[in-house]
Amino acid sequence: MILDNIENLEYYELGGLFPRAIEFLRDNDLMSLPPCKIRLLGDDLVVNVQDFNGKEEKDCRMEAHRDYADIQIVLGGGEETMGWKATDDCKNVLTPYNEEKDVEFYEDKADTMFKVGSGQAAVFFPTDAHQPGIAPGMHYRKIIVKVKVR
């Protein structure tokens, strides 16, 4: 997992499709994009632009992906709390792996909770189960980039 400011993502030596994702984030005014799904490279690199309503922690589930990494970006003020736990340590499956959606949900609780402020990005790899979206009463712009890694 990586947590950093958006503009610093280019300093991480991430291979594969990450440079193309970071180029898109750098070269676009993310706040001016309409809520939409942008397929940069078919299903291999997808940008989801959302005007997001934060949720209570009890309404946010731990999730993990097998084929994609997530770059989750908070914009427009405020902050979102996210949880993290190693995927291998998640033992209580809530919803079995859905290959089409590339997601499995867990009843497990996060080992670590942290804040992601406006202008920051959290990068989750298949080894990172995560619990995003915790921001009760908040409304903000959120960008989730799905990067195929397998």
Side-chain angles (χ1 to χ4, degrees):
M1 190 206 93
I2 296 170
L3 175 63
D4 206 336
N5 293 326
I6 299 169
E7 60 270 10
N8 294 337
L9 291 179
E10 64 185 272
Y11 295 115
Y12 295 90
E13 293 189 23
L14 301 170
L17 299 175
F18 279 97
R20 177 69 177 98
I22 293 166
E23 176 184 307
F24 175 86
L25 296 171
R26 182 192 65 227
D27 293 348
N28 287 276
D29 179 356
L30 303 176
M31 287 301 291
S32 70
L33 295 171
C36 63
K37 183 180 280 192
I38 302 167
R39 295 185 184 282
L40 293 176
L41 292 171
D43 289 335
D44 291 349
L45 186 57
V46 179
V47 178
N48 293 299
V49 181
Q50 304 173 350
D51 288 329
F52 193 80
N53 291 313
K55 303 174 191 174
E56 298 285 337
E57 181 177 351
K58 67 180 179 57
D59 298 321
C60 299
R61 302 174 289 178
M62 290 290 293
E63 64 183 64
H65 313 289
R66 294 182 186 173
D67 296 330
Y68 289 84
D70 278 0
I71 303 173
Q72 298 211 8
I73 300 165
V74 175
L75 297 171
E79 61 187 16
E80 178 178 306
T81 298
M82 297 184 189
W84 176 90
K85 184 173 187 155
T87 302
D88 287 346
D89 293 340
C90 292
K91 304 300 181 198
N92 301 305
V93 175
L94 178 65
T95 305
Y97 180 70
N98 180 322
E99 187 174 343
E100 183 178 319
K101 295 183 179 182
D102 187 47
V103 68
E104 184 168 55
F105 292 101
Y106 305 97
E107 291 181 25
D108 296 70
K109 299 291 184 196
D111 287 341
T112 303
M113 302 298 283
F114 57 94
K115 305 277 187 196
V116 180
S118 184
Q120 293 183 326
V123 182
F124 298 103
F125 301 95
T127 55
D128 302 311
H130 49 287
Q131 182 183 17
I134 305 168
M138 296 289 298
H139 181 75
Y140 51 97
R141 170 60 53 102
K142 184 165 184 178
I143 310 286
I144 302 171
V145 182
K146 307 293 283 181
V147 181
K148 187 148 190 173
V149 293
R150 292 187 184 167

